[in-house]
mmCIF file of all heavy atoms in Angstrom:
data_model
loop_
_atom_site.group_PDB
_atom_site.id
_atom_site.type_symbol
_atom_site.label_atom_id
_atom_site.label_comp_id
_atom_site.label_asym_id
_atom_site.label_seq_id
_atom_site.Cartn_x
_atom_site.Cartn_y
_atom_site.Cartn_z
ATOM 1 N N PRO R 191 9.399 7.611 2.042
ATOM 2 C CA PRO R 191 10.310 6.979 3.007
ATOM 3 C C PRO R 191 11.490 6.293 2.323
ATOM 4 O O PRO R 191 12.644 6.454 2.743
ATOM 5 C CB PRO R 191 9.415 5.963 3.726
ATOM 6 C CG PRO R 191 8.026 6.473 3.541
ATOM 7 C CD PRO R 191 8.013 7.105 2.189
ATOM 8 N N GLY R 192 11.210 5.523 1.258
ATOM 9 C CA GLY R 192 12.285 4.810 0.573
ATOM 10 C C GLY R 192 13.256 5.748 -0.106
ATOM 11 O O GLY R 192 14.483 5.554 -0.043
ATOM 12 N N GLY R 193 12.733 6.779 -0.755
ATOM 13 C CA GLY R 193 13.600 7.742 -1.431
ATOM 14 C C GLY R 193 14.461 8.527 -0.462
ATOM 15 O O GLY R 193 15.639 8.792 -0.721
ATOM 16 N N THR R 194 13.874 8.892 0.687
ATOM 17 C CA THR R 194 14.636 9.633 1.698
ATOM 18 C C THR R 194 15.755 8.777 2.267
ATOM 19 O O THR R 194 16.905 9.228 2.407
ATOM 20 C CB THR R 194 13.705 10.091 2.836
ATOM 21 O OG1 THR R 194 12.697 10.954 2.309
ATOM 22 C CG2 THR R 194 14.485 10.838 3.913
ATOM 23 N N ALA R 195 15.436 7.524 2.582
ATOM 24 C CA ALA R 195 16.465 6.625 3.122
ATOM 25 C C ALA R 195 17.597 6.435 2.123
ATOM 26 O O ALA R 195 18.785 6.436 2.495
ATOM 27 C CB ALA R 195 15.833 5.281 3.487
ATOM 28 N N LEU R 196 17.247 6.281 0.855
ATOM 29 C CA LEU R 196 18.256 6.095 -0.183
ATOM 30 C C LEU R 196 19.169 7.323 -0.276
ATOM 31 O O LEU R 196 20.399 7.195 -0.364
ATOM 32 C CB LEU R 196 17.571 5.840 -1.518
ATOM 33 C CG LEU R 196 18.465 5.642 -2.739
ATOM 34 C CD1 LEU R 196 19.384 4.449 -2.545
ATOM 35 C CD2 LEU R 196 17.606 5.452 -3.989
ATOM 36 N N ARG R 197 18.598 8.520 -0.222
ATOM 37 C CA ARG R 197 19.403 9.737 -0.331
ATOM 38 C C ARG R 197 20.315 9.908 0.886
ATOM 39 O O ARG R 197 21.463 10.343 0.764
ATOM 40 C CB ARG R 197 18.486 10.939 -0.485
ATOM 41 C CG ARG R 197 17.727 10.927 -1.813
ATOM 42 C CD ARG R 197 16.576 11.906 -1.828
ATOM 43 N NE ARG R 197 17.024 13.280 -1.832
ATOM 44 C CZ ARG R 197 16.214 14.327 -1.719
ATOM 45 N NH1 ARG R 197 14.907 14.136 -1.573
ATOM 46 N NH2 ARG R 197 16.695 15.549 -1.746
ATOM 47 N N LEU R 198 19.818 9.553 2.051
ATOM 48 C CA LEU R 198 20.651 9.659 3.255
ATOM 49 C C LEU R 198 21.786 8.635 3.227
ATOM 50 O O LEU R 198 22.905 8.937 3.653
ATOM 51 C CB LEU R 198 19.787 9.453 4.499
ATOM 52 C CG LEU R 198 18.755 10.556 4.791
ATOM 53 C CD1 LEU R 198 17.891 10.174 5.985
ATOM 54 C CD2 LEU R 198 19.440 11.893 5.049
ATOM 55 N N ARG R 199 21.499 7.429 2.737
ATOM 56 C CA ARG R 199 22.564 6.423 2.649
ATOM 57 C C ARG R 199 23.649 6.881 1.685
ATOM 58 O O ARG R 199 24.852 6.725 1.957
ATOM 59 C CB ARG R 199 21.955 5.089 2.219
ATOM 60 C CG ARG R 199 22.988 3.980 1.906
ATOM 61 C CD ARG R 199 23.906 3.670 3.097
ATOM 62 N NE ARG R 199 23.173 3.111 4.202
ATOM 63 C CZ ARG R 199 22.931 1.801 4.372
ATOM 64 N NH1 ARG R 199 23.373 0.937 3.475
ATOM 65 N NH2 ARG R 199 22.276 1.374 5.422
ATOM 66 N N ARG R 200 23.239 7.467 0.568
ATOM 67 C CA ARG R 200 24.223 7.916 -0.418
ATOM 68 C C ARG R 200 25.034 9.105 0.093
ATOM 69 O O ARG R 200 26.190 9.285 -0.293
ATOM 70 C CB ARG R 200 23.515 8.265 -1.728
ATOM 71 C CG ARG R 200 23.012 7.036 -2.471
ATOM 72 C CD ARG R 200 22.204 7.380 -3.695
ATOM 73 N NE ARG R 200 21.849 6.177 -4.457
ATOM 74 C CZ ARG R 200 20.987 6.154 -5.473
ATOM 75 N NH1 ARG R 200 20.389 7.276 -5.855
ATOM 76 N NH2 ARG R 200 20.729 5.033 -6.101
ATOM 77 N N ALA R 201 24.417 9.920 0.944
ATOM 78 C CA ALA R 201 25.150 11.050 1.524
ATOM 79 C C ALA R 201 26.213 10.578 2.501
ATOM 80 O O ALA R 201 27.237 11.241 2.698
ATOM 81 C CB ALA R 201 24.178 11.997 2.227
ATOM 82 N N GLY R 202 25.972 9.424 3.109
ATOM 83 C CA GLY R 202 26.955 8.830 4.012
ATOM 84 C C GLY R 202 27.308 9.736 5.180
ATOM 85 O O GLY R 202 26.461 10.413 5.752
ATOM 86 N N GLY R 203 28.583 9.786 5.505
ATOM 87 C CA GLY R 203 29.040 10.567 6.656
ATOM 88 C C GLY R 203 29.488 11.965 6.318
ATOM 89 O O GLY R 203 30.188 12.601 7.118
ATOM 90 N N ASP R 204 29.084 12.454 5.145
ATOM 91 C CA ASP R 204 29.498 13.787 4.717
ATOM 92 C C ASP R 204 28.714 14.846 5.501
ATOM 93 O O ASP R 204 27.525 15.062 5.269
ATOM 94 C CB ASP R 204 29.243 13.944 3.214
ATOM 95 C CG ASP R 204 29.707 15.291 2.677
ATOM 96 O OD1 ASP R 204 30.248 16.090 3.470
ATOM 97 O OD2 ASP R 204 29.512 15.540 1.467
ATOM 98 N N HIS R 205 29.390 15.526 6.419
ATOM 99 C CA HIS R 205 28.721 16.533 7.244
ATOM 100 C C HIS R 205 28.413 17.810 6.467
ATOM 101 O O HIS R 205 27.682 18.673 6.967
ATOM 102 C CB HIS R 205 29.585 16.853 8.469
ATOM 103 C CG HIS R 205 29.618 15.744 9.464
ATOM 104 N ND1 HIS R 205 28.715 15.623 10.493
ATOM 105 C CD2 HIS R 205 30.454 14.671 9.569
ATOM 106 C CE1 HIS R 205 28.985 14.533 11.208
ATOM 107 N NE2 HIS R 205 30.036 13.944 10.660
ATOM 108 N N ASP R 206 28.945 17.926 5.260
ATOM 109 C CA ASP R 206 28.646 19.084 4.422
ATOM 110 C C ASP R 206 27.514 18.800 3.434
ATOM 111 O O ASP R 206 27.120 19.685 2.676
ATOM 112 C CB ASP R 206 29.899 19.508 3.637
ATOM 113 C CG ASP R 206 31.005 20.013 4.545
ATOM 114 O OD1 ASP R 206 30.668 20.685 5.544
ATOM 115 O OD2 ASP R 206 32.188 19.730 4.267
ATOM 116 N N ALA R 207 27.000 17.577 3.467
ATOM 117 C CA ALA R 207 25.958 17.202 2.519
ATOM 118 C C ALA R 207 24.659 17.939 2.826
ATOM 119 O O ALA R 207 24.330 18.189 3.991
ATOM 120 C CB ALA R 207 25.715 15.692 2.570
ATOM 121 N N VAL R 208 23.931 18.302 1.763
ATOM 122 C CA VAL R 208 22.622 18.934 1.896
ATOM 123 C C VAL R 208 21.607 18.072 1.147
ATOM 124 O O VAL R 208 21.776 17.799 -0.049
ATOM 125 C CB VAL R 208 22.619 20.365 1.318
ATOM 126 C CG1 VAL R 208 21.226 20.971 1.437
ATOM 127 C CG2 VAL R 208 23.658 21.229 2.027
ATOM 128 N N VAL R 209 20.573 17.626 1.855
ATOM 129 C CA VAL R 209 19.507 16.834 1.232
ATOM 130 C C VAL R 209 18.283 17.736 1.118
ATOM 131 O O VAL R 209 17.770 18.214 2.130
ATOM 132 C CB VAL R 209 19.191 15.576 2.055
ATOM 133 C CG1 VAL R 209 18.100 14.759 1.379
ATOM 134 C CG2 VAL R 209 20.452 14.728 2.241
ATOM 135 N N ARG R 210 17.845 17.973 -0.110
ATOM 136 C CA ARG R 210 16.780 18.945 -0.342
ATOM 137 C C ARG R 210 15.417 18.280 -0.568
ATOM 138 O O ARG R 210 15.315 17.259 -1.233
ATOM 139 C CB ARG R 210 17.125 19.828 -1.549
ATOM 140 C CG ARG R 210 18.268 20.788 -1.270
ATOM 141 C CD ARG R 210 18.514 21.739 -2.429
ATOM 142 N NE ARG R 210 19.441 22.788 -2.033
ATOM 143 C CZ ARG R 210 20.768 22.643 -2.036
ATOM 144 N NH1 ARG R 210 21.298 21.499 -2.418
ATOM 145 N NH2 ARG R 210 21.550 23.637 -1.642
ATOM 146 N N PHE R 211 14.426 18.881 0.027
ATOM 147 C CA PHE R 211 13.037 18.467 -0.123
ATOM 148 C C PHE R 211 12.205 19.699 -0.440
ATOM 149 O O PHE R 211 12.674 20.823 -0.403
ATOM 150 C CB PHE R 211 12.512 17.842 1.184
ATOM 151 C CG PHE R 211 13.240 16.607 1.620
ATOM 152 C CD1 PHE R 211 14.388 16.689 2.399
ATOM 153 C CD2 PHE R 211 12.772 15.354 1.260
ATOM 154 C CE1 PHE R 211 15.061 15.551 2.809
ATOM 155 C CE2 PHE R 211 13.433 14.212 1.668
ATOM 156 C CZ PHE R 211 14.579 14.300 2.440
ATOM 157 N N GLY R 212 10.914 19.446 -0.700
ATOM 158 C CA GLY R 212 9.956 20.537 -0.722
ATOM 159 C C GLY R 212 9.486 20.795 0.698
ATOM 160 O O GLY R 212 10.088 20.333 1.676
ATOM 161 N N ASP R 213 8.407 21.521 0.835
ATOM 162 C CA ASP R 213 7.832 21.813 2.155
ATOM 163 C C ASP R 213 7.422 20.513 2.839
ATOM 164 O O ASP R 213 6.687 19.702 2.269
ATOM 165 C CB ASP R 213 6.619 22.726 1.969
ATOM 166 C CG ASP R 213 5.951 23.093 3.284
ATOM 167 O OD1 ASP R 213 6.569 22.880 4.348
ATOM 168 O OD2 ASP R 213 4.805 23.578 3.246
ATOM 169 N N LEU R 214 7.883 20.306 4.058
ATOM 170 C CA LEU R 214 7.622 19.068 4.790
ATOM 171 C C LEU R 214 6.583 19.248 5.894
ATOM 172 O O LEU R 214 6.489 18.432 6.811
ATOM 173 C CB LEU R 214 8.928 18.541 5.408
ATOM 174 C CG LEU R 214 10.037 18.169 4.424
ATOM 175 C CD1 LEU R 214 11.308 17.781 5.179
ATOM 176 C CD2 LEU R 214 9.601 17.034 3.509
ATOM 177 N N SER R 215 5.785 20.294 5.817
ATOM 178 C CA SER R 215 4.849 20.580 6.904
ATOM 179 C C SER R 215 3.539 19.798 6.791
ATOM 180 O O SER R 215 2.763 19.746 7.750
ATOM 181 C CB SER R 215 4.531 22.079 6.954
ATOM 182 O OG SER R 215 3.877 22.504 5.766
ATOM 183 N N ALA R 216 3.268 19.194 5.627
ATOM 184 C CA ALA R 216 2.017 18.436 5.457
ATOM 185 C C ALA R 216 1.984 17.247 6.409
ATOM 186 O O ALA R 216 3.025 16.698 6.800
ATOM 187 C CB ALA R 216 1.882 17.967 4.014
ATOM 188 N N HIS R 217 0.774 16.847 6.796
ATOM 189 C CA HIS R 217 0.581 15.716 7.702
ATOM 190 C C HIS R 217 0.071 14.499 6.927
ATOM 191 O O HIS R 217 -0.782 14.633 6.051
ATOM 192 C CB HIS R 217 -0.424 16.066 8.801
ATOM 193 C CG HIS R 217 0.098 17.020 9.828
ATOM 194 N ND1 HIS R 217 0.496 18.293 9.517
ATOM 195 C CD2 HIS R 217 0.278 16.868 11.175
ATOM 196 C CE1 HIS R 217 0.906 18.908 10.633
ATOM 197 N NE2 HIS R 217 0.787 18.062 11.637
ATOM 198 N N ARG R 218 0.591 13.328 7.279
ATOM 199 C CA ARG R 218 0.167 12.081 6.664
ATOM 200 C C ARG R 218 -0.052 11.021 7.752
ATOM 201 O O ARG R 218 0.477 11.121 8.850
ATOM 202 C CB ARG R 218 1.212 11.574 5.656
ATOM 203 C CG ARG R 218 1.361 12.443 4.428
ATOM 204 C CD ARG R 218 0.151 12.365 3.533
ATOM 205 N NE ARG R 218 0.316 13.145 2.319
ATOM 206 C CZ ARG R 218 -0.018 14.414 2.194
ATOM 207 N NH1 ARG R 218 -0.524 15.073 3.231
ATOM 208 N NH2 ARG R 218 0.140 15.044 1.050
ATOM 209 N N ASP R 219 -0.813 10.005 7.382
ATOM 210 C CA ASP R 219 -1.096 8.877 8.271
ATOM 211 C C ASP R 219 -0.232 7.706 7.809
ATOM 212 O O ASP R 219 -0.505 7.099 6.778
ATOM 213 C CB ASP R 219 -2.588 8.529 8.187
ATOM 214 C CG ASP R 219 -2.998 7.481 9.203
ATOM 215 O OD1 ASP R 219 -2.139 6.669 9.606
ATOM 216 O OD2 ASP R 219 -4.173 7.465 9.584
ATOM 217 N N PHE R 220 0.825 7.412 8.560
ATOM 218 C CA PHE R 220 1.763 6.358 8.173
ATOM 219 C C PHE R 220 1.384 5.038 8.841
ATOM 220 O O PHE R 220 1.023 5.000 10.025
ATOM 221 C CB PHE R 220 3.189 6.745 8.569
ATOM 222 C CG PHE R 220 3.707 7.949 7.832
ATOM 223 C CD1 PHE R 220 3.759 9.192 8.460
ATOM 224 C CD2 PHE R 220 4.128 7.852 6.521
ATOM 225 C CE1 PHE R 220 4.226 10.303 7.793
ATOM 226 C CE2 PHE R 220 4.588 8.962 5.834
ATOM 227 C CZ PHE R 220 4.646 10.199 6.476
ATOM 228 N N VAL R 221 1.487 3.960 8.074
ATOM 229 C CA VAL R 221 1.201 2.627 8.603
ATOM 230 C C VAL R 221 2.327 1.688 8.203
ATOM 231 O O VAL R 221 2.806 1.707 7.066
ATOM 232 C CB VAL R 221 -0.160 2.103 8.087
ATOM 233 C CG1 VAL R 221 -0.190 2.006 6.572
ATOM 234 C CG2 VAL R 221 -0.502 0.756 8.721
ATOM 235 N N ASP R 222 2.780 0.885 9.144
ATOM 236 C CA ASP R 222 3.856 -0.055 8.880
ATOM 237 C C ASP R 222 3.366 -1.130 7.911
ATOM 238 O O ASP R 222 2.249 -1.638 8.023
ATOM 239 C CB ASP R 222 4.330 -0.697 10.185
ATOM 240 C CG ASP R 222 5.627 -1.457 10.022
ATOM 241 O OD1 ASP R 222 5.598 -2.582 9.465
ATOM 242 O OD2 ASP R 222 6.684 -0.948 10.445
ATOM 243 N N THR R 223 4.212 -1.488 6.960
ATOM 244 C CA THR R 223 3.837 -2.492 5.972
ATOM 245 C C THR R 223 3.531 -3.838 6.610
ATOM 246 O O THR R 223 2.701 -4.597 6.102
ATOM 247 C CB THR R 223 4.967 -2.673 4.944
ATOM 248 O OG1 THR R 223 6.212 -2.832 5.628
ATOM 249 C CG2 THR R 223 5.071 -1.461 4.050
ATOM 250 N N ARG R 224 4.182 -4.131 7.729
ATOM 251 C CA ARG R 224 3.908 -5.408 8.397
ATOM 252 C C ARG R 224 2.547 -5.390 9.087
ATOM 253 O O ARG R 224 1.850 -6.411 9.138
ATOM 254 C CB ARG R 224 5.034 -5.696 9.387
ATOM 255 C CG ARG R 224 6.389 -5.901 8.705
ATOM 256 C CD ARG R 224 7.548 -5.744 9.651
ATOM 257 N NE ARG R 224 7.678 -4.362 10.141
ATOM 258 C CZ ARG R 224 8.643 -3.949 10.960
ATOM 259 N NH1 ARG R 224 9.562 -4.825 11.371
ATOM 260 N NH2 ARG R 224 8.710 -2.695 11.350
ATOM 261 N N ASP R 225 2.146 -4.234 9.588
ATOM 262 C CA ASP R 225 0.793 -4.099 10.125
ATOM 263 C C ASP R 225 -0.239 -4.219 9.013
ATOM 264 O O ASP R 225 -1.296 -4.845 9.186
ATOM 265 C CB ASP R 225 0.635 -2.753 10.842
ATOM 266 C CG ASP R 225 1.227 -2.752 12.244
ATOM 267 O OD1 ASP R 225 1.205 -3.810 12.901
ATOM 268 O OD2 ASP R 225 1.713 -1.692 12.679
ATOM 269 N N LEU R 226 0.048 -3.605 7.872
ATOM 270 C CA LEU R 226 -0.846 -3.718 6.728
ATOM 271 C C LEU R 226 -0.997 -5.176 6.308
ATOM 272 O O LEU R 226 -2.116 -5.655 6.064
ATOM 273 C CB LEU R 226 -0.312 -2.890 5.565
ATOM 274 C CG LEU R 226 -0.931 -3.164 4.185
ATOM 275 C CD1 LEU R 226 -2.429 -2.911 4.206
ATOM 276 C CD2 LEU R 226 -0.237 -2.354 3.116
ATOM 277 N N ALA R 227 0.123 -5.878 6.209
ATOM 278 C CA ALA R 227 0.066 -7.287 5.804
ATOM 279 C C ALA R 227 -0.775 -8.106 6.772
ATOM 280 O O ALA R 227 -1.523 -9.003 6.365
ATOM 281 C CB ALA R 227 1.478 -7.854 5.705
ATOM 282 N N ARG R 228 -0.666 -7.796 8.057
ATOM 283 C CA ARG R 228 -1.476 -8.520 9.050
ATOM 284 C C ARG R 228 -2.954 -8.240 8.847
ATOM 285 O O ARG R 228 -3.802 -9.121 9.009
ATOM 286 C CB ARG R 228 -1.017 -8.136 10.460
ATOM 287 C CG ARG R 228 -1.715 -8.885 11.583
ATOM 288 C CD ARG R 228 -0.946 -8.706 12.900
ATOM 289 N NE ARG R 228 -0.593 -7.325 13.128
ATOM 290 C CZ ARG R 228 -1.415 -6.430 13.685
ATOM 291 N NH1 ARG R 228 -2.624 -6.807 14.078
ATOM 292 N NH2 ARG R 228 -1.029 -5.184 13.867
ATOM 293 N N ALA R 229 -3.300 -7.005 8.477
ATOM 294 C CA ALA R 229 -4.694 -6.670 8.194
ATOM 295 C C ALA R 229 -5.195 -7.464 6.989
ATOM 296 O O ALA R 229 -6.350 -7.923 6.975
ATOM 297 C CB ALA R 229 -4.832 -5.174 7.941
ATOM 298 N N VAL R 230 -4.348 -7.631 5.982
ATOM 299 C CA VAL R 230 -4.730 -8.412 4.808
ATOM 300 C C VAL R 230 -5.004 -9.862 5.189
ATOM 301 O O VAL R 230 -5.993 -10.459 4.749
ATOM 302 C CB VAL R 230 -3.630 -8.339 3.727
ATOM 303 C CG1 VAL R 230 -3.917 -9.347 2.611
ATOM 304 C CG2 VAL R 230 -3.526 -6.941 3.156
ATOM 305 N N VAL R 231 -4.131 -10.434 6.004
ATOM 306 C CA VAL R 231 -4.327 -11.825 6.451
ATOM 307 C C VAL R 231 -5.663 -11.969 7.168
ATOM 308 O O VAL R 231 -6.438 -12.899 6.909
ATOM 309 C CB VAL R 231 -3.164 -12.262 7.366
ATOM 310 C CG1 VAL R 231 -3.462 -13.635 7.984
ATOM 311 C CG2 VAL R 231 -1.856 -12.309 6.596
#
Side-chain angles (χ1 to χ4, degrees):
T194 299
L196 179 60
R197 293 166 69 187
L198 292 175
R199 172 58 65 88
R200 288 175 174 170
D204 183 1
H205 289 270
D206 294 323
V208 178
V209 181
R210 290 185 170 83
F211 298 87
D213 180 15
L214 298 175
S215 63
H217 288 62
R218 293 290 183 270
D219 187 333
F220 295 103
V221 60
D222 192 284
T223 48
R224 296 162 294 182
D225 280 328
L226 165 59
R228 184 165 47 84
V230 170
V231 172

